Amino acid sequence: MRALSQMLVIFTLCFAATAQAHKFSTAYMDVTEQQGQPVLLWKVALHDLAQAGLIQAKDSHQVSWQQVLDSEPQLQDYIRLRLRFSSVAGACDINTVATDWLAQRMQQDMFLLLPLQVRCSSPERWQLSYTALFDSQHSHKLLLSWQLPPNKANAVLSPTSPLYPALLSH
């Protein structure tokens, strides 16, 4: 009985170490409105960006602020390719400025906070398309806080559900 009890303790410790070693890839985005235009705040873990090769760091869990700033051109290009915002009039412009970027510790990880300014030709039928990190982190999810009327809601975007809101075409 004592041997069984010791094996159970060893198994539990091994399982706990394995469970802690795996990190889920989760980013966050707040979508609000300011002066008739959408404003996005993308919060993404620095180690996720480094693992995707967007920030050059020897260790994806040890990223310096200088490495983040040095990666601005890659991050700007990536945002243009993987984050899209549209309206009934078509694609909207998305811009971010590195001087507005911040780092923040959230849930034991360092996150990069990227304010994104959006310019749309129309205030109708706004939609976000998010495909960031899906190819490098297959379990990646975006937890979205959509605070634009009339669809104020929270949503989870994933490789199988990359759009919000899911609009029906007419």
Side-chain angles (χ1 to χ4, degrees):
M1 183 69 165
R2 180 181 160 119
L4 180 61
S5 177
Q6 288 175 338
M7 286 187 355
L8 183 60
V9 168
I10 291 170
F11 174 77
T12 303
L13 290 174
C14 290
F15 181 73
T18 303
Q20 288 178 342
H22 177 74
K23 288 190 176 237
F24 291 103
S25 175
T26 304
Y28 305 86
M29 185 174 290
D30 300 326
V31 180
T32 57
E33 182 181 356
Q34 189 173 54
Q35 298 176 351
Q37 294 293 328
V39 176
L40 285 59
L41 179 60
W42 186 30
K43 304 169 193 174
V44 58
L46 288 174
H47 69 84
D48 285 345
L49 294 172
Q51 285 179 337
L54 299 169
I55 297 175
Q56 300 304 313
K58 291 179 184 176
D59 178 359
S60 65
H61 293 282
Q62 296 293 322
V63 177
S64 73
W65 187 246
Q66 189 59 52
Q67 290 168 322
V68 171
L69 295 177
D70 291 346
S71 300
E72 181 186 4
Q74 294 90 332
L75 288 170
Q76 294 277 10
D77 289 344
Y78 192 78
I79 288 167
R80 278 190 279 283
L81 292 172
R82 303 301 179 120
L83 297 174
R84 298 205 176 147
F85 209 92
S86 62
S87 72
V88 71
C92 304
D93 292 326
I94 297 179
N95 294 300
T96 184
V97 181
T99 54
D100 294 337
W101 296 356
L102 297 171
Q104 179 181 4
R105 182 165 298 282
M106 294 172 39
Q107 302 173 4
Q108 302 175 356
D109 281 324
M110 287 303 293
F111 278 71
L112 180 59
L113 280 58
L114 294 148
L116 305 168
Q117 294 79 38
V118 181
R119 294 289 167 246
C120 295
S121 298
S122 171
E124 297 177 38
R125 291 182 49 180
W126 283 341
Q127 184 179 50
L128 172 68
S129 170
Y130 180 88
T131 59
L133 302 171
F134 291 154
D135 52 352
S136 62
Q137 303 284 328
H138 302 294
S139 65
H140 180 72
K141 303 278 187 275
L142 176 74
L143 301 183
L144 178 66
S145 173
W146 184 272
Q147 298 304 311
L148 300 175
N151 300 326
K152 291 186 178 187
N154 294 320
V156 178
L157 301 187
S158 66
T160 58
S161 180
L163 299 175
Y164 189 85
L167 300 175
L168 300 174
S169 59
H170 295 286

